[in-house]
């Protein structure tokens, strides 16, 4: 293969991604390329496309991407906080904004906290916290057994001590915690059908659809939360853009006087934080 052929490969693949309306064609290209080369050479280099097998893997990966499959499903992982998490169609793909929940939890100076991550999916929140703070006792629940399987796999692979519980929100939880965290489904049902195809086709609706106004799950959590928090315990939940007032009222109606909303790195109101009412 000559230099021109190599450029042709790059141009061709990137063009297809551009034509397909992908927003980050160059980075998509590099991640697919890296993946195609990785198993054989462990390096990121165009030259490896000279290899017939790498080339086949790359072409197949590109085709999957053009059918909207998330890069994380093709390459098998998504980076979150400091680790790589295995992801498939049964779990929500970790989003960078959710990392801020980890940051908030780590700010607590207590040396030994008990923490529950409700609806853990890949396990990214619980596992990241457990890895950072091995002295905390970290629990993680999910209604989906498939998700629990993925999260357990991630915990084992990353060497994180997390206790998993199969539970529909609090249904099977029988202890209290210093902190309860969650990234629950919060997309309004009608918005779910307007989400990009890569999300609609490849991510579980169960992890995204929060009902008519998007706050059904947040409401379910808020209703029971107090029973499961230790004195002075805190809860941090991710919420959708524009849900601030609705969520505030909802927590007020469940007896929480102080409801703090904080922003993500794009300055969007994205999290709600409440303390156990005394
Ligand atoms: N941020 C996600 C999205 O808009 C939604 C995640 C969630 O419902 N928890 O795709």
């Amino acid at each position: 293969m000559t230099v021109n052929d190599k450029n042709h490969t790059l141009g061709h693949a990137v063009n297809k991604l551009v034509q397909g309306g992908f927003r980050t064609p160059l980075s998509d290209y590099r991640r697919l390329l890296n993946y195609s080369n990785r198993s054989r050479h462990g390096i990121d280099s165009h030259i490896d496309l000279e290899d017939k097998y790498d080339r086949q893997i790359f072409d197949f990966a590109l085709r999957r991407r053009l059918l909207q499959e998330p890069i994380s499903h093709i390459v098998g992982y998504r980076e979150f906080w400091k680790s790589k998490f295995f992801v498939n169609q049964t779990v929500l793909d970790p989003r960078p904004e959710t990392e801020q929940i980890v940051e908030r939890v780590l700010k607590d100076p207590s040396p030994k906290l008990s923490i529950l991550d409700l609806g853990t999916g890949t396990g990214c929140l619980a596992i990241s916290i457990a890895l950072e703070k091995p002295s905390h006792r970290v629990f993680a629940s999910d209604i989906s057994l498939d998700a629990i399987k993925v999260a357990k796999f991630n915990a084992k692979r990353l060497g994180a001590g997390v206790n998993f519980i199969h539970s529909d929100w609090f249904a099977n939880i029988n202890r209290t915690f210093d902190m309860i965290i969650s990234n629950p489904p919060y997309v309004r049902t009608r918005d779910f059908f307007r989400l990009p195809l890569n999300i609609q086709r490849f991510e579980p609706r169960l992890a995204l659809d929060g009902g008519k106004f998007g706050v059904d799950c947040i409401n379910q959590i808020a209703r029971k939360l107090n029973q499961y928090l230790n004195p002075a315990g805190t809860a941090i939940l991710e919420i959708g853009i524009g849900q601030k007032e609705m969520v505030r009222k909802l927590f007020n109606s469940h007896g929480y006087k102080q409801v703090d909303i904080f922003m993500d790195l794009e300055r969007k109101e994205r999290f709600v934080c409440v303390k156990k009412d005394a």
Side-chain angles (χ1 to χ4, degrees):
M1 197 189 265
T2 66
V3 171
N4 277 341
D5 287 335
K6 276 178 234 155
N7 288 340
H8 175 72
T9 303
L10 167 70
H12 180 69
V14 174
N15 260 341
K16 283 202 153 181
L17 289 162
V18 171
Q19 281 161 15
F22 292 89
R23 281 187 306 162
T24 51
L26 264 179
S27 104
D28 284 12
Y29 168 76
R30 292 203 76 77
R31 287 177 69 192
L32 295 178
L33 189 64
N34 220 348
Y35 156 75
S36 314
N37 294 334
R38 197 180 42 181
S39 56
R40 302 166 61 78
H41 311 284
I43 47 164
D44 179 357
S45 147
H46 294 163
I47 292 160
D48 295 313
L49 282 181
E50 284 179 29
D51 184 289
K52 193 169 96 197
Y53 298 105
D54 285 353
R55 186 54 201 252
Q56 276 173 357
I57 294 170
F58 177 79
D59 286 345
F60 186 56
L62 180 64
R63 243 182 296 154
R64 286 170 69 182
R65 183 59 180 150
L66 292 170
L67 290 170
Q68 305 291 330
E69 193 165 348
I71 298 263
S72 57
H73 293 191
I74 301 170
V75 307
Y77 70 88
R78 171 81 171 233
E79 284 178 48
F80 180 87
W81 195 249
K82 296 178 185 169
S83 308
K84 289 179 177 175
F85 290 86
F86 169 73
V87 182
N88 66 19
Q89 294 201 26
T90 68
V91 289
L92 190 77
D93 216 325
R95 316 283 205 255
E97 54 271 23
T98 308
E99 290 177 350
Q100 253 175 285
I101 297 184
V102 179
E103 210 168 82
R104 281 265 161 163
V105 172
L106 298 183
K107 270 191 192 152
D108 191 308
S110 320
K112 219 174 162 159
L113 290 171
S114 56
I115 301 173
L116 170 65
D117 173 20
L118 284 170
T120 195
T122 52
C124 63
L125 278 173
I127 293 168
S128 299
I129 293 164
L131 289 173
E132 292 279 358
K133 299 275 183 186
S135 58
H136 288 356
R137 281 206 77 190
V138 184
F139 297 77
S141 72
D142 209 289
I143 190 174
S144 152
L145 273 174
D146 287 328
I148 295 270
K149 228 192 255 176
V150 170
K152 275 189 177 165
F153 173 80
N154 279 322
K156 191 164 180 209
R157 206 179 58 81
L158 295 165
V162 176
N163 307 284
F164 291 99
I165 307 163
H166 180 222
S167 179
D168 179 1
W169 301 123
F170 290 109
N172 298 334
I173 308 292
N174 50 22
R175 52 161 293 163
T176 56
F177 305 88
D178 300 318
M179 246 187 217
I180 294 178
I181 56 175
S182 182
N183 175 16
Y186 55 66
V187 176
R188 290 185 299 185
T189 302
R190 66 188 156 102
D191 291 343
F192 175 80
F193 296 103
R194 296 194 194 125
L195 287 173
L197 280 181
N198 62 318
I199 300 182
Q200 260 189 72
R201 278 190 194 157
F202 292 96
E203 298 199 50
R205 182 168 171 190
L206 185 66
L208 289 154
D209 187 346
K212 188 163 185 206
F213 299 105
V215 294
D216 285 4
C217 301
I218 296 172
N219 190 30
Q220 283 194 56
I221 296 172
R223 209 173 54 200
K224 294 268 179 74
L225 190 60
N226 216 44
Q227 270 169 259
Y228 293 90
L229 280 173
N230 287 336
T234 311
I236 306 170
L237 270 56
E238 186 169 318
I239 62 170
I241 308 298
Q243 292 177 342
K244 176 178 74 164
E245 285 314 322
M246 215 170 10
V247 168
R248 195 192 293 281
K249 281 198 192 118
L250 203 144
F251 274 95
N252 288 155
S253 76
H254 292 297
Y256 295 87
K257 282 176 206 79
Q258 186 164 348
V259 180
D260 295 322
I261 304 284
F262 63 97
M263 297 194 205
D264 65 17
L265 295 173
E266 292 180 355
R267 304 197 62 73
K268 291 180 177 144
E269 282 149 338
R270 176 76 75 179
F271 307 96
V272 59
C273 181
V274 291
K275 286 232 175 306
K276 182 180 172 85
D277 61 0

